[in-house]
Coordinates of all heavy atoms in Angstrom, one line a residue:
M434 N 62.7 122.3 -33.5 CA 63.0 121.2 -34.3 C 64.5 121.1 -34.8 O 65.0 122.2 -35.1 CB 62.2 121.1 -35.5 CG 60.7 120.7 -35.3 SD 60.6 118.9 -35.0 CE 60.6 118.3 -36.7
R435 N 65.1 120.0 -34.7 CA 66.4 119.8 -35.3 C 66.6 118.9 -36.4 O 65.9 117.9 -36.3 CB 67.4 119.3 -34.0 CG 67.3 120.2 -32.9 CD 68.1 121.4 -33.0 NE 69.5 121.2 -32.7 CZ 70.4 122.1 -33.0 NH1 70.2 123.2 -33.6 NH2 71.7 122.0 -32.5
F436 N 67.2 119.3 -37.4 CA 67.3 118.5 -38.6 C 68.8 118.0 -38.9 O 69.6 118.8 -38.6 CB 66.8 119.3 -39.8 CG 65.3 119.5 -39.7 CD1 64.9 120.8 -39.2 CD2 64.3 118.7 -40.3 CE1 63.5 121.2 -39.0 CE2 63.1 119.2 -40.0 CZ 62.5 120.3 -39.5
D437 N 68.9 116.9 -39.3 CA 70.2 116.4 -39.8 C 70.8 117.4 -40.8 O 70.2 117.7 -41.7 CB 70.3 115.0 -40.3 CG 70.0 114.1 -39.1 OD1 70.3 114.3 -37.9 OD2 69.5 112.9 -39.5
C438 N 72.1 117.8 -40.7 CA 72.7 118.6 -41.7 C 72.9 117.8 -43.0 O 73.2 116.7 -43.0 CB 74.0 119.0 -41.1 SG 74.9 120.2 -42.2
D439 N 72.6 118.5 -44.1 CA 72.7 117.7 -45.3 C 74.1 117.8 -45.9 O 74.3 117.3 -46.9 CB 71.6 118.3 -46.3 CG 72.0 119.7 -46.6 OD1 72.5 120.5 -45.8 OD2 71.4 120.2 -47.8
K440 N 74.9 118.6 -45.3 CA 76.2 118.8 -45.7 C 77.3 117.7 -45.2 O 78.3 117.5 -45.8 CB 76.9 120.1 -45.4 CG 76.3 121.3 -46.4 CD 77.3 121.8 -47.1 CE 76.8 122.9 -48.2 NZ 76.1 122.2 -49.4
C441 N 76.9 117.2 -44.0 CA 77.9 116.5 -43.2 C 77.3 115.3 -42.5 O 76.2 115.1 -42.4 CB 78.6 117.5 -42.3 SG 77.4 118.0 -41.1
K442 N 78.2 114.6 -42.0 CA 77.8 113.5 -40.9 C 78.3 114.0 -39.6 O 79.5 114.1 -39.4 CB 78.4 112.2 -41.3 CG 77.5 111.5 -42.4 CD 77.8 110.0 -42.3 CE 76.8 109.1 -43.1 NZ 76.4 109.4 -44.3
N443 N 77.5 114.2 -38.6 CA 78.0 114.5 -37.3 C 78.9 115.6 -37.3 O 79.9 115.7 -36.4 CB 78.5 113.2 -36.7 CG 77.6 112.2 -36.5 OD1 76.3 112.6 -36.0 ND2 77.9 111.0 -36.7
G444 N 78.7 116.7 -38.1 CA 79.7 117.8 -38.2 C 80.9 117.7 -38.9 O 81.6 118.6 -39.0
K445 N 81.0 116.6 -39.7 CA 82.2 116.4 -40.4 C 81.8 116.2 -41.9 O 80.9 115.3 -42.3 CB 83.0 115.2 -40.0 CG 83.5 115.2 -38.5 CD 84.5 116.3 -38.5 CE 85.1 116.2 -37.0 NZ 86.0 117.3 -36.7
I446 N 82.4 116.9 -42.8 CA 82.3 116.8 -44.3 C 83.2 115.8 -44.8 O 84.4 116.2 -44.9 CB 82.2 118.1 -44.9 CG1 81.3 119.2 -44.3 CG2 81.8 117.9 -46.4 CD1 81.5 120.5 -44.9
T447 N 82.7 114.6 -45.1 CA 83.7 113.6 -45.4 C 84.7 114.0 -46.5 O 85.9 113.8 -46.4 CB 83.0 112.3 -45.9 OG1 82.1 112.0 -44.9 CG2 84.0 111.1 -45.9
R448 N 84.2 114.6 -47.6 CA 85.1 115.0 -48.5 C 86.0 116.1 -48.4 O 86.9 116.5 -49.2 CB 84.3 115.3 -49.8 CG 83.5 116.3 -49.9 CD 82.9 116.7 -51.4 NE 82.1 117.8 -51.4 CZ 80.8 117.8 -51.3 NH1 80.2 116.6 -51.1 NH2 80.0 118.7 -51.4
Y449 N 85.8 116.8 -47.2 CA 86.6 117.9 -46.8 C 87.6 117.5 -45.7 O 88.1 118.3 -45.0 CB 85.8 119.1 -46.4 CG 85.2 119.8 -47.5 CD1 84.0 120.6 -47.3 CD2 85.7 119.8 -48.9 CE1 83.3 121.2 -48.4 CE2 85.0 120.4 -49.9 CZ 83.9 121.0 -49.6 OH 83.3 121.8 -50.6
M450 N 87.7 116.3 -45.5 CA 88.4 115.7 -44.2 C 89.9 116.3 -44.4 O 90.6 116.4 -43.3 CB 88.5 114.3 -44.2 CG 87.1 113.7 -43.6 SD 86.6 114.3 -42.0 CE 87.6 113.3 -40.9
H451 N 90.4 116.6 -45.6 CA 91.7 117.0 -45.7 C 92.0 118.5 -45.4 O 93.0 119.0 -45.4 CB 92.3 116.7 -47.1 CG 91.4 117.4 -48.2 ND1 90.0 117.0 -48.5 CD2 91.6 118.3 -49.1 CE1 89.7 117.7 -49.4 NE2 90.4 118.6 -49.8
I452 N 90.7 119.2 -45.3 CA 90.8 120.6 -44.9 C 90.2 120.7 -43.4 O 89.0 120.6 -43.3 CB 90.0 121.5 -45.8 CG1 90.3 121.1 -47.2 CG2 90.2 123.0 -45.6 CD1 89.2 121.7 -48.3
D453 N 91.0 121.1 -42.5 CA 90.4 121.4 -41.1 C 89.5 120.1 -40.8 O 88.6 120.4 -40.0 CB 89.7 122.6 -41.2 CG 89.7 123.2 -39.8 OD1 90.3 122.7 -38.8 OD2 88.8 124.1 -39.6
N454 N 90.0 118.9 -40.9 CA 89.3 117.8 -40.5 C 87.8 117.8 -41.0 O 87.0 117.1 -40.4 CB 89.4 117.6 -39.0 CG 90.8 117.3 -38.5 OD1 91.4 116.4 -39.2 ND2 91.1 117.8 -37.5
G455 N 87.5 118.5 -42.1 CA 86.2 118.5 -42.7 C 85.1 119.2 -41.8 O 83.9 119.0 -41.8
F456 N 85.7 120.1 -40.9 CA 84.6 121.0 -40.1 C 83.6 121.5 -40.9 O 83.8 122.1 -41.9 CB 85.4 121.9 -39.3 CG 84.6 122.8 -38.3 CD1 84.4 122.2 -37.0 CD2 83.9 123.8 -38.6 CE1 83.5 122.8 -36.1 CE2 83.2 124.6 -37.7 CZ 82.9 124.0 -36.4
C457 N 82.3 121.3 -40.5 CA 81.1 121.8 -41.2 C 80.7 123.1 -40.6 O 80.2 123.1 -39.4 CB 80.0 120.8 -41.1 SG 78.6 121.3 -42.0
Y458 N 80.9 124.1 -41.4 CA 80.4 125.5 -40.9 C 79.0 125.8 -41.1 O 78.4 126.7 -40.5 CB 81.1 126.5 -41.6 CG 82.6 126.7 -41.1 CD1 83.6 125.8 -41.5 CD2 82.9 127.5 -40.1 CE1 84.8 125.9 -41.0 CE2 84.2 127.6 -39.6 CZ 85.2 126.7 -39.9 OH 86.4 126.8 -39.3
K459 N 78.2 124.8 -42.0 CA 76.9 125.0 -42.2 C 76.1 124.8 -40.8 O 75.2 125.5 -40.5 CB 76.3 124.1 -43.2 CG 74.8 124.2 -43.5 CD 74.5 123.6 -44.8 CE 73.0 123.9 -45.2 NZ 72.6 123.3 -46.5
C460 N 76.6 123.9 -40.0 CA 75.9 123.5 -38.8 C 76.9 123.7 -37.7 O 76.6 123.2 -36.5 CB 75.4 122.0 -38.9 SG 76.8 120.8 -39.1
N461 N 77.9 124.4 -37.9 CA 78.9 124.6 -36.8 C 79.4 123.3 -36.1 O 79.7 123.2 -35.0 CB 78.4 125.6 -35.8 CG 78.5 126.9 -36.2 OD1 79.4 127.5 -36.9 ND2 77.4 127.8 -36.0
G462 N 79.7 122.3 -37.0 CA 80.1 121.1 -36.5 C 79.3 120.2 -35.6 O 79.7 119.4 -34.8
T463 N 78.0 120.7 -35.5 CA 77.1 119.9 -34.7 C 76.3 118.9 -35.4 O 75.9 117.8 -34.8 CB 75.9 120.8 -34.1 OG1 75.2 121.4 -35.2 CG2 76.6 122.1 -33.4
G464 N 76.3 119.0 -36.8 CA 75.7 117.9 -37.6 C 74.1 118.0 -37.5 O 73.3 117.3 -38.1
K465 N 73.6 119.1 -36.8 CA 72.2 119.4 -36.8 C 72.0 120.9 -37.2 O 72.7 121.8 -37.0 CB 71.8 119.3 -35.3 CG 71.8 118.0 -34.8 CD 70.8 117.0 -35.4 CE 71.0 115.5 -35.0 NZ 70.1 114.5 -35.6
L466 N 70.7 121.0 -37.8 CA 70.4 122.4 -38.4 C 69.1 122.6 -37.6 O 68.3 121.7 -37.2 CB 70.1 122.4 -39.8 CG 71.4 122.2 -40.6 CD1 71.1 121.9 -42.2 CD2 72.4 123.2 -40.5
S467 N 68.8 123.9 -37.5 CA 67.5 124.4 -37.0 C 66.4 124.4 -38.0 O 65.3 124.9 -37.6 CB 67.7 125.7 -36.3 OG 68.2 126.6 -37.1
Y468 N 66.8 124.2 -39.2 CA 65.7 124.2 -40.2 C 65.9 122.9 -41.2 O 67.0 122.3 -41.2 CB 65.8 125.5 -41.1 CG 67.2 125.5 -41.7 CD1 67.4 125.1 -43.0 CD2 68.3 126.1 -41.1 CE1 68.7 125.2 -43.7 CE2 69.5 126.2 -41.7 CZ 69.7 125.8 -43.1 OH 70.9 125.8 -43.6
D469 N 64.8 122.6 -42.0 CA 64.9 121.5 -42.8 C 65.7 121.8 -44.1 O 65.2 122.7 -44.8 CB 63.4 121.2 -43.0 CG 63.4 119.7 -43.9 OD1 64.5 119.3 -44.3 OD2 62.3 119.2 -44.0
P470 N 66.8 121.2 -44.3 CA 67.6 121.5 -45.5 C 67.1 120.9 -46.7 O 67.4 121.2 -47.8 CB 69.0 121.0 -45.1 CG 68.7 119.8 -44.3 CD 67.4 120.1 -43.4
T471 N 66.1 120.0 -46.6 CA 65.6 119.2 -47.9 C 64.6 120.1 -48.5 O 63.5 120.5 -48.0 CB 64.9 117.9 -47.3 OG1 65.9 117.3 -46.4 CG2 64.7 117.1 -48.6
P472 N 64.7 120.4 -50.0 CA 63.8 121.1 -50.5 C 62.4 120.5 -50.5 O 62.3 119.3 -50.5 CB 64.3 121.2 -51.9 CG 65.6 120.8 -51.8 CD 65.9 120.0 -50.6
K473 N 61.3 121.2 -50.2 CA 60.0 120.7 -50.1 C 59.6 120.0 -51.3 O 59.8 120.5 -52.5 CB 58.9 121.7 -49.8 CG 59.0 122.2 -48.3 CD 58.1 121.5 -47.4 CE 58.1 122.1 -46.0 NZ 59.5 121.9 -45.3
G474 N 59.0 118.8 -51.3 CA 58.6 118.0 -52.5 C 59.7 117.3 -53.3 O 59.5 116.9 -54.4
A475 N 60.9 117.4 -52.8 CA 62.0 116.8 -53.5 C 61.8 115.2 -53.6 O 61.4 114.7 -52.5 CB 63.3 117.1 -52.8
V476 N 61.9 114.7 -54.8 CA 61.7 113.2 -54.9 C 63.1 112.6 -55.5 O 63.7 113.2 -56.3 CB 60.7 113.0 -56.0 CG1 60.4 111.6 -56.3 CG2 59.3 113.6 -55.5
I477 N 63.3 111.6 -54.8 CA 64.7 110.9 -55.2 C 64.2 110.0 -56.4 O 63.5 109.1 -56.2 CB 65.2 110.0 -54.0 CG1 65.6 111.0 -53.0 CG2 66.4 109.3 -54.5 CD1 66.0 110.3 -51.7
R478 N 64.7 110.3 -57.6 CA 64.6 109.5 -58.6 C 65.4 108.3 -58.7 O 66.7 108.4 -58.6 CB 64.6 110.3 -60.0 CG 63.5 111.2 -60.1 CD 63.7 112.1 -61.2 NE 63.9 111.5 -62.5 CZ 64.1 112.2 -63.7 NH1 64.1 113.4 -63.6 NH2 64.1 111.3 -64.7
E479 N 65.0 107.1 -59.1 CA 65.9 106.0 -59.1 C 66.4 105.7 -60.4 O 67.6 105.2 -60.5 CB 65.1 104.8 -58.6 CG 64.7 104.8 -57.2 CD 63.9 103.6 -56.7 OE1 63.8 102.8 -57.5 OE2 63.5 103.6 -55.6
E480 N 65.7 106.2 -61.5 CA 66.4 105.9 -62.8 C 66.8 107.3 -63.5 O 65.9 108.1 -63.5 CB 65.5 105.1 -63.7 CG 65.3 103.8 -63.2 CD 64.7 102.9 -64.1 OE1 64.6 103.3 -65.4 OE2 64.2 101.9 -63.8
W481 N 68.0 107.4 -63.9 CA 68.4 108.6 -64.6 C 68.8 108.2 -66.0 O 69.4 107.1 -66.2 CB 69.5 109.3 -63.9 CG 69.2 109.6 -62.5 CD1 69.3 109.1 -61.4 CD2 68.7 111.1 -62.1 NE1 68.9 109.9 -60.3 CE2 68.6 111.0 -60.8 CE3 68.4 112.2 -62.9 CZ2 68.0 112.2 -60.1 CZ3 67.9 113.3 -62.3 CH2 67.7 113.3 -60.8
S482 N 68.5 109.1 -67.0 CA 69.2 108.7 -68.3 C 70.5 109.1 -68.3 O 71.1 109.7 -67.4 CB 68.5 109.6 -69.3 OG 68.8 111.0 -69.2
D483 N 71.4 108.6 -69.3 CA 72.8 108.8 -69.4 C 73.1 110.2 -69.4 O 74.0 110.7 -68.8 CB 73.4 108.1 -70.4 CG 73.6 106.5 -70.1 OD1 73.3 106.1 -69.0 OD2 73.8 105.7 -71.0
R484 N 72.2 111.0 -70.2 CA 72.4 112.4 -70.3 C 72.3 113.1 -69.0 O 73.1 113.9 -68.8 CB 71.4 112.9 -71.5 CG 72.0 114.1 -72.1 CD 71.0 114.9 -72.8 NE 71.1 116.3 -72.7 CZ 70.6 117.2 -73.3 NH1 69.8 116.9 -74.3 NH2 70.8 118.5 -72.9
E485 N 71.2 112.8 -68.4 CA 70.9 113.4 -67.1 C 72.1 113.1 -66.1 O 72.5 114.0 -65.3 CB 69.6 112.9 -66.4 CG 68.4 113.6 -67.2 CD 67.1 113.1 -66.6 OE1 67.0 111.8 -66.4 OE2 66.3 113.9 -66.4
R486 N 72.5 111.9 -66.1 CA 73.6 111.5 -65.3 C 74.8 112.4 -65.5 O 75.6 112.9 -64.5 CB 74.1 110.0 -65.4 CG 73.8 109.2 -64.2 CD 74.5 107.8 -64.5 NE 73.5 106.9 -65.0 CZ 72.7 106.1 -64.3 NH1 72.6 106.2 -63.0 NH2 71.8 105.4 -64.8
M487 N 75.3 112.6 -66.9 CA 76.3 113.4 -67.2 C 76.1 114.8 -66.7 O 77.0 115.4 -66.2 CB 76.5 113.5 -68.7 CG 77.1 112.1 -69.3 SD 78.8 111.9 -68.6 CE 79.6 113.3 -69.4
E488 N 74.9 115.4 -67.0 CA 74.6 116.7 -66.5 C 74.7 116.8 -65.0 O 75.3 117.9 -64.4 CB 73.4 117.2 -67.0 CG 73.3 117.5 -68.4 CD 71.9 117.8 -69.0 OE1 71.0 117.6 -68.2 OE2 71.8 118.1 -70.2
I489 N 74.4 115.9 -64.2 CA 74.4 115.9 -62.9 C 75.7 115.9 -62.3 O 76.2 116.5 -61.6 CB 73.5 114.8 -62.2 CG1 72.1 115.0 -62.4 CG2 73.9 114.6 -60.7 CD1 71.3 113.8 -62.3
K490 N 76.5 115.0 -63.0 CA 77.9 114.9 -62.6 C 78.7 116.2 -62.8 O 79.4 116.7 -61.9 CB 78.6 113.8 -63.5 CG 80.0 113.2 -63.0 CD 80.5 112.0 -63.8 CE 81.9 111.7 -63.3 NZ 82.9 112.5 -63.8
E491 N 78.4 116.8 -64.0 CA 79.1 118.2 -64.3 C 78.7 119.2 -63.2 O 79.5 120.0 -62.7 CB 78.7 118.7 -65.7 CG 79.6 117.9 -66.7 CD 79.1 118.3 -68.1 OE1 78.5 119.4 -68.3 OE2 79.5 117.6 -69.1
E492 N 77.4 119.1 -62.9 CA 76.9 120.1 -62.0 C 77.5 119.9 -60.5 O 77.9 120.8 -59.9 CB 75.3 120.0 -61.9 CG 74.6 121.1 -61.2 CD 73.1 121.0 -61.3 OE1 72.7 120.7 -62.4 OE2 72.5 120.9 -60.1
Q493 N 77.5 118.6 -60.2 CA 78.2 118.4 -58.9 C 79.7 118.7 -58.7 O 80.0 119.2 -57.7 CB 78.0 116.8 -58.6 CG 76.6 116.4 -58.1 CD 76.5 114.9 -58.0 OE1 77.2 114.1 -58.5 NE2 75.5 114.5 -57.3
E494 N 80.4 118.5 -59.8 CA 81.7 119.0 -59.8 C 81.7 120.5 -59.7 O 82.6 120.9 -58.9 CB 82.4 118.5 -61.1 CG 82.8 117.0 -61.1 CD 83.3 116.5 -62.5 OE1 83.4 117.3 -63.4 OE2 83.5 115.3 -62.5
M495 N 80.9 121.2 -60.4 CA 80.9 122.8 -60.2 C 80.5 123.1 -58.9 O 81.1 124.0 -58.2 CB 79.9 123.3 -61.3 CG 80.5 123.4 -62.6 SD 79.2 123.9 -63.8 CE 78.9 125.5 -63.1
I496 N 79.5 122.3 -58.3 CA 79.1 122.7 -57.0 C 80.2 122.5 -55.9 O 80.5 123.2 -55.0 CB 77.8 121.9 -56.5 CG1 76.7 122.3 -57.3 CG2 77.6 121.9 -55.1 CD1 75.5 121.5 -57.3
E497 N 81.0 121.4 -56.2 CA 82.0 120.9 -55.2 C 83.1 122.0 -55.3 O 83.7 122.4 -54.2 CB 82.7 119.5 -55.6 CG 81.7 118.5 -55.0 CD 82.4 117.1 -55.0 OE1 83.8 117.1 -54.9 OE2 81.8 116.0 -55.1
K498 N 83.4 122.5 -56.5 CA 84.5 123.5 -56.6 C 84.0 124.8 -55.9 O 84.7 125.3 -55.2 CB 84.6 123.8 -58.1 CG 85.8 124.7 -58.4 CD 86.1 124.6 -59.9 CE 87.2 125.7 -60.1 NZ 87.0 127.0 -60.1
A499 N 82.6 125.1 -56.1 CA 82.2 126.4 -55.5 C 82.1 126.1 -54.0 O 82.5 127.1 -53.3 CB 80.8 126.6 -56.0
E500 N 81.7 125.0 -53.5 CA 81.7 124.8 -52.1 C 83.1 124.9 -51.6 O 83.3 125.5 -50.4 CB 81.3 123.4 -51.9 CG 79.7 123.2 -51.8 CD 79.2 121.9 -51.6 OE1 80.1 121.0 -51.5 OE2 78.0 121.8 -51.3
R501 N 84.2 124.4 -52.2 CA 85.4 124.5 -51.7 C 85.9 125.9 -51.7 O 86.5 126.4 -50.7 CB 86.4 123.7 -52.6 CG 87.9 123.7 -52.0 CD 88.8 122.8 -53.0 NE 90.2 123.2 -52.8 CZ 91.0 122.7 -51.9 NH1 90.5 121.9 -51.1 NH2 92.1 123.0 -51.7
E502 N 85.5 126.7 -52.6 CA 85.9 128.1 -52.6 C 85.1 128.8 -51.6 O 85.7 129.7 -50.9 CB 85.5 128.8 -54.0 CG 86.7 128.3 -55.1 CD 86.3 128.7 -56.5 OE1 85.0 129.2 -56.7 OE2 86.9 128.4 -57.4
N503 N 83.8 128.5 -51.4 CA 83.2 129.1 -50.2 C 83.7 128.8 -48.9 O 83.7 129.5 -48.0 CB 81.6 128.6 -50.3 CG 81.0 129.1 -51.5 OD1 81.3 130.2 -52.0 ND2 79.8 128.5 -51.9
W504 N 84.2 127.4 -48.9 CA 84.7 127.0 -47.6 C 85.9 127.9 -47.3 O 86.1 128.2 -46.2 CB 85.0 125.5 -47.7 CG 85.5 124.9 -46.4 CD1 84.7 124.4 -45.4 CD2 86.7 124.9 -45.8 NE1 85.4 123.9 -44.4 CE2 86.7 124.2 -44.6 CE3 87.9 125.3 -46.2 CZ2 87.8 124.1 -43.8 CZ3 89.1 125.1 -45.3 CH2 89.1 124.5 -44.3
M505 N 86.7 127.8 -48.3 CA 88.0 128.7 -48.1 C 87.8 130.2 -47.8 O 88.3 130.7 -46.9 CB 88.9 128.6 -49.4 CG 89.4 127.2 -49.6 SD 90.5 127.2 -51.0 CE 91.7 125.9 -50.4
F506 N 86.9 130.6 -48.4 CA 86.4 132.2 -48.2 C 85.9 132.1 -46.7 O 86.3 133.1 -46.0 CB 85.2 132.6 -49.1 CG 84.9 134.1 -49.0 CD1 85.8 134.9 -49.5 CD2 83.8 134.4 -48.5 CE1 85.4 136.2 -49.3 CE2 83.3 135.6 -48.3 CZ 84.1 136.7 -48.7
A507 N 85.1 131.3 -46.4 CA 84.5 131.3 -44.9 C 85.7 131.2 -43.9 O 85.5 131.7 -43.0 CB 83.6 130.3 -44.7
N508 N 86.7 130.6 -44.3 CA 87.9 130.3 -43.3 C 89.0 131.2 -43.6 O 90.1 130.9 -43.1 CB 88.2 128.9 -43.4 CG 87.1 128.0 -42.8 OD1 86.9 127.9 -41.5 ND2 86.4 127.3 -43.6
N509 N 88.9 132.1 -44.6 CA 90.0 133.1 -44.8 C 91.2 132.2 -45.3 O 92.4 132.5 -45.0 CB 90.3 133.9 -43.8 CG 89.1 134.8 -43.5 OD1 88.5 135.4 -44.2 ND2 88.8 134.9 -42.2
I510 N 91.0 131.1 -46.0 CA 92.2 130.3 -46.6 C 92.5 130.8 -47.9 O 91.6 130.7 -48.8 CB 91.8 128.9 -46.4 CG1 91.7 128.5 -44.9 CG2 93.0 128.0 -47.0 CD1 91.1 127.0 -44.7
E511 N 93.8 131.1 -48.1 CA 94.2 131.4 -49.5 C 94.7 130.0 -50.3 O 95.1 129.2 -49.6 CB 95.3 132.3 -49.5 CG 95.0 133.6 -48.9 CD 94.1 134.6 -49.7 OE1 94.2 134.5 -50.9 OE2 93.4 135.4 -49.1
E512 N 94.6 130.0 -51.6 CA 95.1 128.8 -52.2 C 96.5 129.1 -52.4 O 96.9 130.2 -52.9 CB 94.4 128.7 -53.7 CG 93.0 128.1 -53.5 CD 92.9 126.7 -54.2 OE1 93.9 125.9 -54.2 OE2 91.9 126.4 -54.7
Y513 N 97.5 128.1 -52.0 CA 98.8 128.3 -52.4 C 99.2 127.4 -53.4 O 98.8 126.3 -53.6 CB 99.6 128.0 -51.0 CG 99.3 128.9 -49.9 CD1 98.6 128.4 -48.8 CD2 99.7 130.2 -49.8 CE1 98.2 129.4 -47.7 CE2 99.5 131.0 -48.9 CZ 98.6 130.6 -47.9 OH 98.4 131.5 -46.7
Y514 N 100.1 127.9 -54.3 CA 100.6 127.1 -55.3 C 102.2 127.1 -55.2 O 102.7 127.8 -54.7 CB 100.2 127.7 -56.7 CG 98.8 127.7 -57.0 CD1 97.9 128.9 -56.7 CD2 98.1 126.6 -57.5 CE1 96.6 128.8 -57.1 CE2 96.8 126.5 -57.7 CZ 96.0 127.6 -57.4 OH 94.7 127.5 -57.6
Ligands
LIG1251 ZN1 76.9 120.1 -41.1

């Protein structure tokens, strides 16, 4: 079974397009995974309270920062200032 990668579209991570053209290392740029990346029983909620929205936003920002750091680590890229 092949599953669509949850990190990218066709092997490209849109928000990382400025880094190595957004190459996705999760699926090696193929856009496909050999396992289902979706947590079982995950339900997409349509309505969020403002508080939940804020928490999600903060969490996503933290995740994005961590992902970028992971990406750099995976590619041996140092941050230059
Ligand atoms: Zn991917």
Side-chain angles (χ1 to χ4, degrees):
M434 284 289 278
R435 303 286 274 166
F436 298 88
D437 287 337
C438 181
D439 62 334
K440 284 252 178 276
C441 63
K442 276 200 160 58
N443 298 318
K445 301 287 182 194
I446 307 171
T447 311
R448 67 167 178 271
Y449 290 152
M450 287 304 279
H451 58 296
I452 317 171
D453 200 15
N454 290 321
F456 185 85
C457 178
Y458 283 84
K459 184 167 185 177
C460 60
N461 280 319
T463 62
K465 298 287 176 186
L466 296 169
S467 55
Y468 60 92
D469 188 350
T471 313
K473 291 264 184 294
V476 178
I477 296 168
R478 290 172 60 177
E479 291 185 0
E480 289 191 21
W481 296 90
S482 71
D483 285 345
R484 202 190 141 173
E485 281 176 321
R486 240 188 270 272
M487 283 297 292
E488 285 173 356
I489 289 161
K490 192 168 176 289
E491 283 174 18
E492 196 178 305
Q493 283 177 339
E494 282 170 2
M495 281 174 61
I496 289 167
E497 281 194 27
K498 188 170 181 289
E500 278 181 348
R501 185 179 157 83
E502 283 167 1
N503 288 341
W504 187 93
M505 288 184 153
F506 183 74
N508 291 284
N509 299 313
I510 295 168
E511 304 282 334
E512 286 244 35
Y513 295 107
Y514 293 100

